[in-house]
Every structure is written in structure tokens, then in C-alpha cells.
Amino acid sequence: TLKLPYGIVQVVQTVKQNSFSASVSRTNFAAITDLSASIIPTRSDSKVLVQFSVSTSMEGTNGSPAIILYKNGSALSGARSTAGSSGNVTASACFAYSSNLPAGTINMSYLDSPATTSSTTYQCYLTSDQSGNYTVGVNRNNSSSATGYISTITLMEVAAV
């Protein structure tokens, strides 16, 4: 029997089944409604594994939609690139979009150390790599049509056992 020093203590998941869109740019972000989740860690030394899968589309341009992970209302700096320049968004994850692709999925996993036993909320925000504002959709294709896609955010508390 193999005994691991850590285990999953609790799991929280939000499933977004409806569509959403917002006008965003690399400096203008929008909270995705119904795509957040909260967890109350049982120990202050616990980690929280955050995983998201967001179905996105870009309308009117061949730019790339992107997601920035927020924690308690602020961008989670450790889950965001620092390599961006004035031409690139510094996001958590993005999808390279082209006009012949109606939609694509952005996936990411990030292990956070919230260092608290208070409620902690994680939320996905939309952005893009474009300098001007363009419409980015969630759970819809690039022709503004709702689709059968879903998006999810899952939180797992990982603690010493």
C-alpha cells in the first residue's frame, strides 16, 4: 500500500451552461458571470488546485481570447504570465483563434496557497490579445450563436493527511 503525504479533502465545481459575451481587450477585462467557485479550506496550510475549462470564441477579428484567473476580486499574479509586452496580454491561459475555427477551449490547472481558513473565491475573467475592444464569447461560436458547450471551474483542497 502506497501512502501519499497529501490528499484531496474537498471538491467544489461550478458548471456554466448558458452563454456570455463581453467587449474586451488586452487591458479591458470582464468577469464571466456564473463562472466562479468558492471554497473554505479546512487548514491554513492547505493548497487549492484550481482547474478551469472555458469554451471561447472571438467575434470580428482573428485575435486570441484569453482567461485571467482572479482570487477574491484581484488577478492572481502567480497564475499569470509576466512575459507579455505591449502587444501581448499577460493572461493565465489563451486560445489561438482563427476565423475558420468557430470556438475553442481554454484549459488550465494552478496550485494556489491561500494560507487561510476563510472563504476564498476564484473567478475566470475574459480578455484578448487585441489592443482594441472586440467581443469575446463564452459557450457560443464566432457568429454570436449559442452552442451546446459548457464551461467549468473546479476547486480541490489538497492537504497533508
Side-chain angles (χ1 to χ4, degrees):
T1 301
L2 175 66
K3 183 171 180 178
L4 299 175
Y6 289 90
I8 303 297
V9 176
Q10 60 176 314
V11 179
V12 176
Q13 184 179 63
T14 299
V15 178
K16 179 175 180 59
Q17 296 176 303
N18 58 341
S19 64
F20 172 82
S21 67
S23 181
V24 297
S25 69
R26 64 177 165 245
T27 57
N28 180 29
F29 317 136
I32 303 172
T33 58
D34 304 322
L35 197 56
S36 66
S38 297
I39 194 167
I40 301 173
T42 59
R43 298 170 46 146
S44 61
D45 62 346
S46 290
K47 309 280 189 196
V48 175
L49 180 60
V50 182
Q51 296 179 314
F52 63 75
S53 179
V54 184
S55 297
T56 62
S57 63
M58 193 87 180
E59 298 170 26
T61 184
N62 281 343
S64 295
I67 301 296
I68 298 176
L69 184 61
Y70 273 58
K71 178 173 81 172
N72 294 333
S74 298
L76 188 51
S77 60
R80 193 172 174 193
S81 169
T82 59
S85 66
S86 61
N88 296 23
V89 64
T90 55
S92 299
C94 80
F95 169 70
Y97 175 79
S98 68
S99 59
N100 61 345
L101 297 172
T105 303
I106 301 172
N107 301 295
M108 185 179 157
S109 294
Y110 179 75
L111 188 62
D112 188 33
S113 301
T116 186
T117 56
S118 297
S119 181
T120 306
T121 300
Y122 297 87
Q123 184 165 18
C124 294
Y125 275 62
L126 274 179
T127 185
S128 81
D129 67 345
Q130 299 297 295
S131 59
N133 284 335
Y134 286 92
T135 300
V136 176
V138 173
N139 296 349
R140 56 192 249 163
N141 64 27
N142 62 351
S143 62
S144 306
S145 300
T147 63
Y149 308 136
I150 64 166
S151 295
T152 62
I153 184 168
T154 305
L155 310 177
M156 289 178 260
E157 181 183 1
V158 182
V161 290

